[in-house]
């Protein structure tokens, strides 16, 4: 865990509990946490894997190379019409994060490969 990000997570106005739940899953996957682009970013062996983004209507977990990630459940969404590689998961409740915990772990494992 990054002490520099602790305050960011704990004082967030939007999607605080959802972000904390996602954070716990990502750290349990063995990812390194640091602040990049003013957001919590997760990497393995100095390779960016994913980043947590607080959007207006949902919390996003964006995979930098989501196009290459094995996603048999089709859970990942394109960032936008012009995005080529990045894809994301969207959450709007802690229950949704908990329900997707296994899928998050599988997506992270695929992204690390």
């Amino acid at each position: 865990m990054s002490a520099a990000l602790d305050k960011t997570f704990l004082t967030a106005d939007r999607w605080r509990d959802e972000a904390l739940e996602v954070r716990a899953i990502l750290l349990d996957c063995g990812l390194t946490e640091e602040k990049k682009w003013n957001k919590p970013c997760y990497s393995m062996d100095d390779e960016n894997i994913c980043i947590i983004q607080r959007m207006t209507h949902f919390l996003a977990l964006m995979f930098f190379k989501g196009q290459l990630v094995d996603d048999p459940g089709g859970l990942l969404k394109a960032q936008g019409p012009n995005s080529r590689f990045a894809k994301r998961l969207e959450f709007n409740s802690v229950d949704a994060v908990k329900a997707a915990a296994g899928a998050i772990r599988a997506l992270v494992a695929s992204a690390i490969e």
Side-chain angles (χ1 to χ4, degrees), residues 25 61 63 69-73 75-76 89 91 97-110:
I25 294 167
L61 175 61
F63 288 85
V69 172
D70 184 31
D71 180 22
L75 301 175
L76 292 173
L89 294 172
F91 302 103
V97 175
K98 288 180 179 180
I104 294 170
R105 287 183 174 87
L107 292 167
V108 167
S110 177

Side-chain angles (χ1 to χ4, degrees), residues 27-47:
L27 292 175
D28 188 51
C29 291
L31 298 177
T32 302
E33 177 183 68
E34 60 186 306
K35 192 172 192 176
K36 290 185 178 180
W37 306 286
N38 208 28
K39 294 174 178 50
C41 184
Y42 299 85
S43 62
M44 175 70 71
D45 299 327
D46 293 324
E47 291 287 327

Side-chain angles (χ1 to χ4, degrees), residues 38-107:
N38 208 28
K39 294 174 178 50
C41 184
Y42 299 85
S43 62
M44 175 70 71
D45 299 327
D46 293 324
E47 291 287 327
N48 292 331
I49 302 295
C50 55
I51 192 166
I52 295 175
Q53 302 170 310
R54 287 178 172 86
M55 309 302 236
T56 301
H57 300 291
F58 56 86
L59 178 79
L61 175 61
M62 194 271 294
F63 288 85
F64 290 98
K65 296 179 182 176
Q67 187 68 29
L68 303 175
V69 172
D70 184 31
D71 180 22
L75 301 175
L76 292 173
K77 298 180 180 187
Q79 284 279 92
N82 297 318
S83 293
R84 292 188 177 184
F85 292 105
K87 289 194 172 186
R88 70 181 180 218
L89 294 172
E90 298 174 359
F91 302 103
N92 56 21
S93 72
V94 172
D95 288 340
V97 175
K98 288 180 179 180
I104 294 170
R105 287 183 174 87
L107 292 167

